[in-house]
Amino acid sequence: MIQKLNVGMAGLGRVGKFHALNFLERTPRAELVAAFTPDPAEIAWGQQHLAPYGVTLYDNYDKMLEHPGLMAVAIGTATSVHAEQAIKAMDHNLHVLCEKPLSVDIEVCKAVVQKAKTKPHLKVMCGFSRRFDESYRDAADKITQGFIGRPSIIRSQTCDKFDPSGFYVEYAAWSGGVFVDMAVHDIDLTLWFFGDDSVPKSISAHGITAVQPELKKYNDYDNAVGVVEFHNGKIAYYYCSRMMAHGQEDTTEIIGTEGKLTVNGNPQKNLVNLYSNAGITREVPPNFMGRFGPAFVREANEFTAACLDNTPLPMKLSNAVKAVEIGAYIQESLVTGKQIHFDEIGRRVQKAQL
């Protein structure tokens, strides 16, 4: 009999549902055996979509961890409990796939990494979906092969379609801000393309509340720009937005000394273009799942393979800490309006005011 990875899903919110169905239907070497959520509405969804296929539902996370034969946990709950649930899973000798970020608190992120170091037999991964996207992997390969010379500038953005429901205003109360919640993906890409040893030299940011002024009560913005200068002579420019009218637009440009690469430079749902008296038009994915759906599937499959075959994970857990740390500094600069400076080993320094 072929061994399968018995997985428990923590959280059945928007992202959790997506992960659950991926492990249930699109990961041949995994078996979704359990799912946890404290939300009655999500339990009802699970009873309809998961329970008929043998998935046991729990409204208590600790009880799910005791599920017979459980081997791994995928965590897609609220950010505020990611770290606690990841550590509890490791304490039960379970592999962990945790949605980003591990926490909005850097010290808590570090605690997860330290716990993982005490359990070297476990696979613990923070899910940065773009690392599993076919286009971003192709760009990374082309950089490694020297197609654009030395990468020097990155311009990367995470832009959500406008949601008038007020969801993102409520979400801002605990998300850590746009740079920790959204640009953390772009920061992770930067560490991938520039090298995970890249050390910030200066950080600055600016933002506006163009369509959701209610965000101000949480010191957050619906549009923000951040710039990070690195000590290795490279610069990253990040743009976050929650007011795109047309759909999801996550785009990256890597400019090198001998050329450049663009990923999703012309956002498109598929390969169909409509030619009509309104001109030439195309549809754009309505959300990040429309853009990165296949990447989430690949993430589940590669995590499963690493657990079953004891092969290395495709990314360092420590990068998940560094991405949040840089994002938190950009968020601080955004709120305070002050530029932040660092020495060559990453220690924060105070620049003289002239």
Side-chain angles (χ1 to χ4, degrees):
M1 180 180 291
I2 299 175
Q3 183 185 20
K4 288 196 174 187
L5 185 74
N6 291 338
V7 178
M9 184 71 227
L12 292 176
R14 181 168 56 168
V15 176
K17 289 183 177 75
F18 201 54
H19 280 297
L21 292 176
N22 282 342
F23 277 110
L24 182 68
E25 302 170 349
R26 305 179 185 96
T27 312
R29 298 184 69 191
E31 189 80 32
L32 185 69
V33 297
F36 151 76
T37 175
D39 187 317
E42 292 175 7
I43 287 284
W45 180 90
Q47 288 171 337
Q48 179 180 357
H49 297 278
L50 305 179
Y53 303 97
V55 180
T56 302
L57 301 176
Y58 294 88
D59 60 7
N60 182 292
Y61 180 70
D62 294 334
K63 288 183 179 179
M64 187 190 76
L65 295 181
E66 302 291 343
H67 186 88
L70 194 65
M71 300 163 68
V73 174
I75 299 173
T77 47
T79 300
S80 57
V81 296
H82 282 181
E84 175 189 352
Q85 291 179 344
I87 290 172
K88 279 187 175 182
M90 285 185 270
D91 283 337
H92 281 73
N93 282 316
L94 301 172
H95 303 290
V96 177
L97 170 59
C98 183
E99 257 302 311
K100 64 82 194 166
L102 293 174
S103 172
V104 297
D105 185 310
I106 304 304
E107 295 307 314
V108 174
C109 288
K110 291 178 179 177
V112 176
V113 174
Q114 288 304 313
K115 171 61 73 170
K117 287 180 179 179
T118 69
K119 303 276 188 175
H121 60 292
L122 296 178
K123 303 298 179 182
V124 183
M125 187 173 84
C126 187
F128 283 96
S129 54
R130 295 180 203 186
R131 292 263 186 164
F132 300 88
D133 178 70
E134 184 176 350
S135 296
Y136 278 113
R137 286 192 169 181
D138 186 35
D141 288 342
K142 285 179 167 57
I143 290 171
T144 300
Q145 294 171 50
F147 283 14
I148 64 169
R150 186 176 67 256
S152 302
I153 303 287
I154 282 180
R155 294 193 296 200
S156 197
Q157 68 180 47
T158 298
C159 295
D160 292 339
K161 185 174 182 178
F162 175 62
D163 181 351
S165 72
F167 169 80
Y168 285 123
V169 175
E170 296 177 13
Y171 183 52
W174 51 268
S175 70
V178 289
F179 285 109
V180 174
D181 176 52
M182 301 175 72
V184 71
H185 284 292
D186 306 287
I187 298 166
D188 178 64
L189 290 175
T190 302
L191 297 175
W192 189 12
F193 298 148
F194 279 178
D196 54 27
D197 57 348
S198 299
V199 178
K201 182 179 180 181
S202 68
I203 289 175
S204 58
H206 300 276
I208 59 173
T209 49
V211 294
Q212 293 183 315
E214 302 89 350
L215 286 167
K216 290 181 180 178
K217 65 183 176 183
Y218 297 117
N219 285 326
D220 208 5
Y221 300 79
D222 52 32
N223 286 266
V225 172
V227 177
V228 180
E229 175 191 15
F230 294 92
H231 277 287
N232 56 10
K234 300 176 182 181
I235 293 176
Y237 168 102
Y238 306 123
Y239 171 45
C240 306
S241 177
R242 295 206 192 273
M243 73 167 196
M244 293 293 104
H246 55 284
Q248 192 78 16
E249 187 174 345
D250 300 334
T251 302
T252 301
E253 183 178 35
I254 309 105
I255 303 167
T257 53
E258 298 173 24
K260 76 172 184 177
L261 293 161
T262 62
V263 179
N264 202 37
N266 293 294
Q268 193 155 333
K269 180 179 179 180
N270 51 35
L271 299 179
V272 175
N273 287 276
L274 171 64
Y275 294 71
S276 70
N277 58 9
I280 304 172
T281 59
R282 62 182 186 274
E283 294 183 35
V284 175
N287 51 47
F288 70 93
M289 288 176 276
R291 167 65 181 89
F292 294 108
F296 278 93
V297 175
R298 188 174 290 113
E299 176 184 78
N301 279 273
E302 292 190 13
F303 171 74
T304 297
C307 295
L308 292 175
D309 302 333
N310 195 27
T311 51
L313 291 166
M315 64 185 72
K316 296 179 181 178
L317 187 62
S318 57
N319 274 0
V321 180
K322 192 168 185 177
V324 172
E325 189 169 29
I326 293 174
Y329 280 128
I330 305 175
Q331 193 73 25
E332 179 185 338
S333 177
L334 175 64
V335 173
T336 65
K338 297 180 180 179
Q339 191 175 53
I340 305 173
H341 302 268
F342 306 85
D343 65 15
E344 289 81 357
I345 60 173
R347 295 177 303 191
R348 188 167 176 165
V349 296
Q350 201 69 33
K351 294 283 276 191
Q353 299 294 318
L354 299 179

